[in-house]
Amino acid sequence: NEIWYVTDKDNEFERLATMNLDSKKVSFYTTAIPWNIENYSLSEDKKSIIFISNEAGLNKMYLMNTNTKSYKEVPNLPIGLIGGASFTKDNQTIFFTQSTAQSAADVYQLNIKTGQIKRWTESELGEMQKSDMSVPKFIEWKSFDDLKISGFYYPAASKFKGKRPVLIMIHGGPEGQSLASFLGSNNFYTSEMGVSLLYPNVRGSSGFGKTYLAKDNGFLREDSVKDIGALLDWIAQQPELDKDRVMIMGGSYGGYMTLATAFHYADRIKCSVDVVGISNFNTFLKNTEEYRRDLRRAEYGDERDPKMAAFFEKMAPLNNIDKIKKPLFIIQGTNDPRVPVTEATQMRD
C-alpha cells in the first residue's frame, strides 16, 4: 500500500519516490540520475511507470518496472522537450507530447514491446521549413570561480559566411531555465539575419540542483553577471562568432542582467535590449505588488536591512548609467504589476 511522488527531500535534485502508507517509510529510486525528475505516469496495471527527467535543459524519458524498481532510458527519442506521457489502458503503448528544435509540440506513440516510435500529428509551422530551423548545441564554459556554466547555442544558417554576430538571450526568474526548445519566430534571427543565438543558464537557474540555485542569492547577485562575462570570453574563442558584434537581451530579471552586463562589460558588447528589467532592487522591492515582496526578498535580499540596501545601491544599473557606453533600448508595459514601470522610467530619465 504505497503512493508514488516526486520530491527533493534530502537531495540536490527531485527524485522519484514512494511512501508506504502503513509504515510511512520513504524510498527513493532515481538517485543515480543527477537531475530533476519532472513528472511521471503509472500504468493501469500498476506494473510500469514512465518518468521524465530534465537533464541540463533536455528532456529524457525512462521506463521503470514497479516490481523490481529497475529502469532504463527510452532510446531513439528525438532531442527536445517532453510535455507529458501516459499509458493506454492495455499497458502496451505510451502516448507523449514532444517539441523539438524543428517542430512545435506534437503527439507521439511509443510501442513498449518493440520500442518503435510513431509520430501522430504534424503541427502547423506556417511557411517555416525544417531546413530553415536552427538546431541547438549544448555548450559549457567555466566562470571566474571555475564553476561550470551551460546553455544552448543556436548557430546562424550555414549560408551566411564569415564571423557571425551574436545575440545573448538571458532568461528571467532568476530561477528560470533556458531549454533546448523550439525557437519559433526567433528562427528569423538565425535563418534570415545570420545572427547566432545563445541562451545561457547562469548560476541561480533552476534544474541544476539546490546549491546552484542559491549561488546568486543576496550578496552573491553579481556573480551571475560574471557568468555572462565568462560567456563573452567563450564567444571570443569561437572562430565562427564575432566577439565585436554581441547584443544582450533579457526580460524581467533577465532585464536586470542585461542592464548589469551593459555597464560591467560596456567595452565588450555592441548594444542591449532591456525588457521590463529591474534597474534598482531597492526601488523594485518597494514598488512591486505587495503580494510578491516577501517572496522576492528571499531571493534578492531584504532592502530593509541597511547593509543589503547599501549593496543594492552600489550594484544598481540605475547608479552606474555613466558606465553604459553602447546603445540601450528599453521595453516596458505601463501596468506591469511585477516589475513596475518606474524601473524603466528612472533608467530613461
Side-chain angles (χ1 to χ4, degrees):
N1 198 14
E2 63 187 10
I3 58 169
W4 287 87
Y5 66 111
V6 169
T7 176
D8 65 359
K9 180 177 169 58
D10 301 329
N11 199 51
E12 280 283 328
F13 297 94
E14 295 178 358
R15 293 181 286 182
L16 189 62
T18 55
M19 176 188 283
N20 184 297
L21 294 178
D22 299 320
S23 66
K24 301 295 187 285
K25 181 178 184 291
V26 174
S27 301
F28 304 100
Y29 303 109
T30 57
T31 308
I33 301 174
W35 301 102
N36 283 340
I37 304 307
E38 293 195 326
N39 55 59
Y40 68 92
S41 183
L42 188 62
S43 63
E44 291 275 332
D45 60 7
K46 309 286 192 290
K47 291 180 179 176
S48 302
I49 271 186
I50 191 90
F51 64 88
I52 296 159
S53 64
N54 175 342
E55 306 193 10
L58 285 167
N59 285 143
K60 292 186 179 178
M61 198 155 69
Y62 295 82
L63 193 58
M64 173 187 272
N65 179 314
T66 58
N67 185 35
T68 64
K69 305 300 192 285
S70 63
Y71 58 85
K72 58 185 178 186
E73 185 183 340
V74 175
N76 306 318
L77 278 179
I79 293 171
L81 307 180
I82 302 167
S86 297
F87 289 87
T88 50
K89 287 192 183 295
D90 63 6
N91 310 301
Q92 302 301 306
T93 304
I94 291 166
F95 280 94
F96 62 96
T97 60
Q98 184 175 40
S99 63
T100 72
Q102 296 176 313
S103 65
D106 279 298
V107 177
Y108 293 81
Q109 176 190 27
L110 167 66
N111 183 305
I112 297 173
K113 271 187 181 168
T114 66
Q116 185 182 9
I117 295 168
K118 183 180 176 184
R119 183 173 173 177
W120 272 52
T121 64
E122 294 269 351
S123 291
E124 173 61 49
L125 296 175
E127 292 299 312
M128 284 196 293
Q129 303 301 309
K130 197 173 178 180
S131 58
D132 293 336
M133 292 182 243
S134 185
V135 176
K137 297 178 181 179
F138 178 76
I139 60 168
E140 288 182 311
W141 64 97
K142 280 190 176 177
S143 195
F144 69 98
D145 56 355
D146 276 346
L147 183 68
K148 197 177 280 184
I149 314 295
S150 67
F152 293 98
Y153 164 33
Y154 291 80
S158 58
K159 65 186 176 186
F160 296 98
K161 305 304 176 190
K163 287 178 178 281
R164 303 321 310 154
V166 182
L167 172 49
I168 300 175
M169 299 271 209
I170 308 175
H171 69 68
E175 296 178 346
Q177 185 183 17
S178 290
L179 307 168
S181 58
F182 174 61
L183 277 183
S185 60
N186 278 353
N187 277 295
F188 185 81
Y189 290 114
T190 55
S191 69
E192 301 301 319
M193 297 183 71
V195 175
S196 290
L197 303 181
L198 291 178
Y199 288 80
N201 280 312
V202 297
R203 69 190 66 204
S205 301
S206 63
F208 299 88
K210 293 176 184 173
T211 303
Y212 193 86
L213 194 68
K215 278 189 176 293
D216 65 340
N217 287 3
F219 291 101
L220 303 175
R221 181 58 47 207
E222 290 189 302
D223 286 357
S224 61
V225 183
K226 292 175 186 174
D227 294 342
I228 299 296
L231 178 57
L232 294 173
D233 293 339
W234 181 90
I235 291 169
Q237 292 163 6
Q238 309 311 307
E240 78 277 19
L241 299 180
D242 188 346
K243 67 178 177 57
D244 297 320
R245 288 189 292 167
V246 177
M247 173 177 150
I248 311 288
M249 184 174 182
S252 193
Y253 176 75
Y256 155 71
M257 289 287 288
T258 296
L259 293 171
T261 303
F263 82 79
H264 276 291
Y265 302 105
D267 57 335
R268 302 182 65 189
I269 65 167
K270 196 78 172 172
C271 58
S272 50
V273 176
D274 156 36
V275 185
V276 300
I278 300 165
S279 59
N280 184 325
F281 283 98
N282 278 325
T283 56
F284 163 72
L285 288 166
K286 178 184 170 188
N287 295 321
T288 191
E289 285 291 336
E290 191 176 353
Y291 72 89
R292 303 184 73 246
R293 215 165 282 155
D294 286 337
L295 177 68
R296 295 294 82 201
R297 283 170 176 150
E299 166 72 38
Y300 298 131
D302 194 331
E303 84 287 359
R304 295 167 298 186
D305 173 358
K307 282 185 180 174
M308 200 76 236
F311 175 70
F312 283 156
E313 286 303 312
K314 186 181 174 209
M315 61 168 266
L318 181 65
N319 298 329
N320 290 278
I321 288 175
D322 57 318
K323 295 173 188 162
I324 297 176
K325 309 291 186 190
K326 304 294 170 58
L328 166 65
F329 187 59
I330 299 175
I331 300 170
Q332 173 75 44
T334 307
N335 298 321
D336 192 332
R338 295 168 300 178
V339 179
V341 66
T342 44
E343 290 300 300
T345 53
Q346 64 191 13
M347 273 301 287
R348 180 194 64 191
D349 299 340

